[in-house]
Amino acid sequence: MPSGSTLPLTTGLMAALGCLSVAVPKAASTIETVAWKVPAKAPDAAELALPGDVTLQGFLGRRVAVNASERLAKVDLEPLLAGFRQKPGSHPWIGEHIGKWLHAATLAWAQTADDALKARLDDAVAELIKAQEPDGYLGTYPPNQRFGLYEGADWDVWSHKYCLMGLLTYHQYTGDAAALEASRKAADLLLATFPARKSILAAGTHVGMAATSVLEPMVLLYRLTAEPRYHEFCEYLVKSWDEPNGPRILATLLTEKQVNRTANGKAYEMLSNLVGLCELYRVSGEPRYLRAALNAWEDVVSKRLYITGSASQGEHFRDDHYLPNGESAHVAETCVTTTWVQFNEQLLRLTAEARFGHELERTFYNHLTAAQRPDGAQWCYFTPLEGRKPYGPGINCCVSSGPRGVALVPPAAAFTYRAPGAPGIAINLFELAEFRTTVDGEPVGLRVRTEFPKEGRMTVTVNARRPVSFALRIRQPAWAGTLKATAPEPLGAVERDGWLEIGPRAWAPGTSLQVTFTCDSRLIPGDHTNASKAALAWGPFVLAYDTSENPGLPVPSLVALGDAADQAPATLASAAPLRLTARVRIPRSPAPKVATLVPFADAGARGGRYAVWLRAPDAALPVSDSLFLFADEARSQTGNVSGSITDGDPASFVVTFNGRPQTQAWFEVRAPHPVTLGRVVFTHGQNFHDGGWFDTSGGKPRVEVRRTNDGPWETVGEIADYPATSSRDHGGLKAGQPFSLRLTTPVEALAVRVIGKPAGGDNPAQAFASCGELEAFPK
């Protein structure tokens, strides 16, 4: 980057970045940039790193690298552009995806200077602009369906938002005038439409929040053009929140201070609006905007945030401390995780407070990278804390959002700030390898060499051409204990507000300091919905038990952590990849076993079942004498709930629902060798509005056995005490209710299954059944 240039990057604008006024020349920083025409009335306290001025190492370095090379460089752009060329698009919000890709790919290119990625960016921008209509329309809807003017709320404004974000990001990093002009034309069409023809609330779903989230790029466009009409439109968007039946985002967060009581609680859209509100605060200096944003942040962190750094169930903010872990709860939409990252980077920029750095670290090392497959190629839509990960390569909002979140990691690794009487440099992430900036016009670099996460030690070396004065901050995470910095000469380091601070002082070229901290395992007791459970962590990594790493050990619901008095509840086995061992208790074992634990970010990558929360050290283990305890299991269709019917825990149920018709549903358990059965117990799973039980109108569920691997299924009886049910009526069945068949003569068999007609509520074509446990006993 040429000395003296500026890059006004923002959280929403691909990087949640602050702008450093000058950067040290280097290959990855020779990118032409543009400056704001409108200065901030509320200047940033922290100027986050430019992407090309940061090098990462270790776990985060690898995840950022594969995000660029295995995802962004390989996305098929044709389906993302098709709806702009031939309207209507294939999906109501298909138009968002090209903007999201431009947003992420631009930042990745700015860090890597990859020529092939730049060529893809240039082509994609040119094709998108070519599809723009003369009046500025930049969407995928036909004329009679645009902006909700004719058929009610839609996703047209929402898609324009992401097109604007992508084009403006590209313009800022390249100076491309065509991208800015296309953004201006699209924005002018929005101004001509709202509110002149209709309230913008009527053009967006979720109480209008989808449409009003265009606030963020509109603020940025104002800052890039200095044209007051864009600022006026931004203020209109905020005022629209208070229209009749509006979301009342600002008013509710200032009074009730709870996100689940704001609008309809839709997490992604609300956070998107709050990111825009932070941008508007930066321009206007209106204190209510920042206060509302902070109220929302504090509510999420105190009542709605998983220990892994994300929020939402079923895409909404729910009740206080309601944090279910399983797949059926639709945990932590990746769009929410990414927008939470953007929100925290905005607040870190505005305040330079360590608490926002803490939350970024939590999310980066856990829920964000847990949604990303370790090879970078695929993403999860939801990422449960227990079960299996549903990675996918397709086109959906989360697969497009996740890469944006990872592309936001490098700028958050370090930043500059103004210390009293001197400039300052802050290290925010411990896997920073190098940060290049300027101090009073003098090129300065920090080089970091670390043993993290193997052990708590790093060496920070100052690179400069001559002595330079600045203050140095290193963030003090709670997990790291007390940071200590030493050098050949006294440093005068002090702890202040979550930072270890040194100086301001003069730094000679080549000065090095040693920083030590605690990097060890710790037990995290569960509460609320995780009472009687516990989790383990190592440094910032939340750990998980994964069946694929623990052959011979049972499913997670049957595992309890070891002694709570252990000083080190887990022991490091490998640093790269990170693996730990811990003592665990399992049923039928008088002595503890040793289990391997992996980062939540890596769990499930090999298809195994995993869990973050295990039974606490003082929790009782389930007691079962079933001949099929821990046995292999199967069912007629895999279903969308990942529990177990052989784990002794009826609460970890399974279903056969996957949207495909089935005339018979069955659940099977199989022993490694034949066993003698005297009694079979089937435990019902759970009732749903659209099924989940057996329909007995044609007969009770049957019990069948198979005596050999290749032998036929033989009926040995029916579950006579199963209630009378129909497709729509579950007959009073209760979750976890057991039913038995006692055999008149014991049977030797290798496998047992229960089979019957599934119930489907009002949609028999999607009928399904559920099961909590399938057990068998000698007597």
Side-chain angles (χ1 to χ4, degrees):
M1 177 179 300
S3 178
S5 65
T6 57
L7 180 55
L9 300 174
T10 67
T11 302
L13 256 195
M14 187 48 232
L17 305 178
C19 58
L20 295 173
S21 59
V22 185
V24 178
K26 78 177 192 73
S29 294
T30 58
I31 299 168
E32 291 296 327
T33 61
V34 296
W36 301 122
K37 292 184 178 180
V38 177
K41 288 187 178 179
D44 287 341
E47 305 290 349
L48 301 194
L50 298 181
D53 292 337
V54 169
T55 303
L56 294 172
Q57 57 189 313
F59 172 83
L60 289 181
R62 291 189 295 273
R63 290 304 189 94
V64 169
V66 296
N67 184 53
S69 64
E70 304 306 312
R71 181 65 195 174
L72 294 171
K74 296 180 179 180
V75 171
D76 183 359
L77 300 181
E78 286 305 309
L80 310 190
L81 291 164
F84 295 92
R85 295 166 175 154
Q86 184 66 46
K87 301 173 179 65
S90 61
H91 192 276
W93 54 85
I94 189 68
E96 74 175 44
H97 300 291
I98 190 64
K100 287 182 173 182
W101 182 85
L102 289 172
H103 191 190
T106 300
L107 184 60
W109 165 69
Q111 190 194 29
T112 64
D114 182 83
D115 291 338
L117 186 56
K118 177 58 162 55
R120 297 196 84 206
L121 280 164
D122 294 344
D123 290 344
V125 168
E127 289 299 309
L128 181 60
I129 293 174
K130 187 189 301 182
Q132 188 171 33
E133 297 185 10
D135 66 353
Y137 183 74
L138 196 56
T140 62
Y141 286 70
N144 64 345
Q145 296 178 11
R146 292 177 181 175
F147 295 143
L149 295 173
Y150 308 99
E151 298 182 5
D154 58 28
W155 295 91
D156 208 2
V157 176
W158 171 267
S159 295
H160 274 71
K161 172 188 78 170
Y162 279 110
C163 287
L164 287 169
M165 293 299 301
L167 289 172
L168 291 174
T169 305
Y170 178 81
H171 165 71
Q172 286 191 291
Y173 280 101
T174 65
D176 185 80
L180 181 62
E181 181 59 24
S183 299
R184 193 195 307 261
K185 289 171 62 178
D188 287 344
L189 179 61
L190 294 177
L191 269 62
T193 306
F194 308 107
R197 300 184 62 186
K198 195 173 190 177
S199 168
I200 196 165
L201 297 182
T205 57
H206 301 296
V207 204
M209 290 193 296
T212 60
S213 69
V214 77
L215 175 62
E216 181 189 3
M218 293 302 298
V219 176
L220 302 173
L221 185 60
Y222 166 59
R223 295 196 68 189
L224 288 166
T225 64
E227 296 181 17
R229 67 183 186 276
Y230 299 135
H231 188 194
E232 293 167 4
F233 187 71
C234 293
E235 296 293 350
Y236 156 68
L237 292 173
V238 172
K239 290 176 182 177
S240 76
W241 294 342
D242 292 327
E243 291 178 11
N245 300 315
R248 293 181 54 78
I249 297 173
L250 184 63
T252 306
L253 290 175
L254 289 174
T255 54
E256 298 195 40
K257 304 179 181 180
Q258 289 186 249
V259 292
N260 64 322
R261 295 187 178 182
T262 301
N264 66 345
K266 186 64 164 59
Y268 178 21
E269 284 77 3
M270 190 187 307
L271 288 171
S272 295
N273 277 272
L274 292 174
V275 169
L277 193 64
C278 288
E279 287 291 356
L280 189 56
Y281 167 72
R282 188 173 283 112
V283 167
S284 68
E286 170 54 59
R288 294 180 306 139
Y289 297 166
L290 179 60
R291 190 160 66 250
L294 290 172
N295 287 346
W297 183 90
E298 290 165 0
D299 180 58
V300 172
V301 170
S302 64
K303 299 175 183 175
R304 290 166 235 293
L305 195 70
Y306 286 94
I307 63 168
T308 46
S310 190
S312 79
Q313 302 82 33
E315 304 185 2
H316 287 70
F317 291 122
R318 304 293 183 180
D319 293 340
D320 294 0
H321 307 295
Y322 174 70
L323 296 169
N325 301 308
E327 292 174 77
S328 61
H330 296 154
V331 167
E333 181 189 9
T334 296
C335 291
V336 173
T337 306
T338 292
T339 316
W340 177 246
V341 167
Q342 292 179 281
F343 189 36
N344 276 278
E345 290 198 1
Q346 284 280 4
L347 294 172
L348 179 61
R349 289 175 58 200
L350 289 168
T351 68
E353 293 179 12
R355 56 178 173 162
F356 305 116
H358 298 334
E359 294 307 328
L360 286 166
E361 177 186 70
R362 183 201 303 268
T363 304
F364 289 158
Y365 280 98
N366 297 292
H367 229 119
L368 179 64
T369 45
Q372 178 195 36
R373 203 170 70 179
D375 65 3
Q378 296 188 9
W379 283 83
C380 298
Y381 193 111
F382 300 112
T383 310
L385 275 73
E386 63 182 32
R388 287 187 171 91
K389 289 182 180 176
Y391 297 118
I395 300 174
N396 64 53
C397 57
C398 292
V399 170
S400 293
S401 282
R404 299 167 58 228
V406 175
L408 294 168
V409 174
F415 62 82
T416 59
Y417 66 100
R418 291 301 302 183
I425 300 175
I427 296 175
N428 188 46
L429 298 178
F430 285 12
E431 286 188 316
L432 175 71
E434 193 170 0
F435 176 43
R436 296 161 292 275
T437 184
T438 60
V439 173
D440 292 334
E442 186 68 27
V444 174
L446 294 185
R447 188 176 71 251
V448 180
R449 297 294 177 263
T450 181
E451 298 297 321
F452 172 85
K454 182 178 179 181
E455 57 186 75
R457 184 173 70 248
M458 69 171 77
T459 300
V460 181
T461 302
V462 177
N463 293 329
R465 293 179 296 197
R466 57 181 62 89
V468 61
S469 294
F470 60 90
L472 178 64
R473 283 181 178 175
I474 304 173
R475 189 174 52 82
Q476 170 88 62
W479 58 261
T482 300
L483 265 65
K484 295 181 180 179
T486 59
E489 57 187 74
L491 294 172
V494 297
E495 295 181 46
R496 182 178 294 114
D497 299 327
W499 300 96
L500 180 69
E501 296 190 351
I502 302 169
R505 53 159 289 164
W507 300 87
T511 300
S512 292
L513 59 150
Q514 301 293 324
V515 181
T516 57
F517 51 92
T518 300
C519 193
D520 206 344
S521 61
R522 63 191 186 281
L523 187 76
I524 305 173
D527 55 14
H528 302 291
T529 51
N530 289 309
S532 300
K533 295 183 178 181
L536 288 174
W538 178 272
F541 293 94
V542 174
L543 304 177
Y545 172 93
D546 187 332
T547 56
S548 65
E549 298 279 347
N550 292 284
L553 293 181
V555 294
S557 60
L558 287 174
V559 177
L561 292 172
D563 189 351
D566 282 353
Q567 293 299 308
T571 303
L572 184 69
S574 167
L578 185 64
R579 297 291 184 266
L580 291 98
T581 57
R583 293 194 304 149
V584 297
R585 296 180 292 118
I586 63 173
R588 296 183 177 179
S589 176
K593 300 289 185 179
V594 176
T596 297
L597 300 176
V598 303
F600 173 50
D602 291 341
R606 295 165 54 192
R609 292 171 58 191
Y610 64 88
V612 165
W613 293 102
L614 302 175
R615 294 173 187 264
D618 57 354
L621 289 168
V623 177
S624 174
D625 295 323
S626 172
L627 297 169
F628 292 98
L629 187 66
F630 313 153
D632 292 339
E633 58 186 272
R635 48 194 180 273
S636 53
Q637 294 187 154
T638 301
N640 61 351
V641 177
S642 181
S644 173
I645 60 174
T646 64
D647 62 359
D649 181 5
S652 64
F653 66 95
V654 300
V655 301
T656 62
F657 176 83
N658 66 4
R660 293 195 296 269
Q662 53 183 332
T663 58
Q664 297 282 290
W666 52 261
F667 302 92
E668 175 190 346
V669 292
R670 176 181 294 270
H673 49 75
V675 293
T676 301
L677 317 176
R679 179 168 52 97
V680 176
V681 177
F682 173 86
T683 301
H684 175 60
Q686 185 169 311
N687 302 323
F688 297 85
H689 71 91
D690 53 354
W693 59 92
F694 287 114
D695 176 357
T696 64
S697 58
K700 297 292 181 79
R702 307 185 308 279
V703 177
E704 299 180 339
V705 301
R706 176 176 270 173
R707 300 175 188 270
T708 63
N709 280 323
D710 300 325
W713 285 103
E714 306 172 30
T715 299
V716 294
E718 66 177 26
I719 302 178
D721 56 346
Y722 197 89
T725 64
S726 69
S727 182
R728 290 184 173 86
D729 181 7
H730 57 65
L733 273 169
K734 294 180 174 59
Q737 185 174 355
F739 303 96
S740 298
L741 167 65
R742 189 176 295 277
L743 302 175
T744 55
T745 302
V747 173
E748 186 175 88
L750 189 67
V752 175
R753 74 177 182 182
V754 172
I755 184 169
K757 180 183 178 182
D762 293 327
N763 189 0
Q766 294 186 359
F768 67 101
S770 67
C771 177
E773 286 290 300
L774 182 51
E775 301 169 294
F777 304 90
K779 297 181 180 180

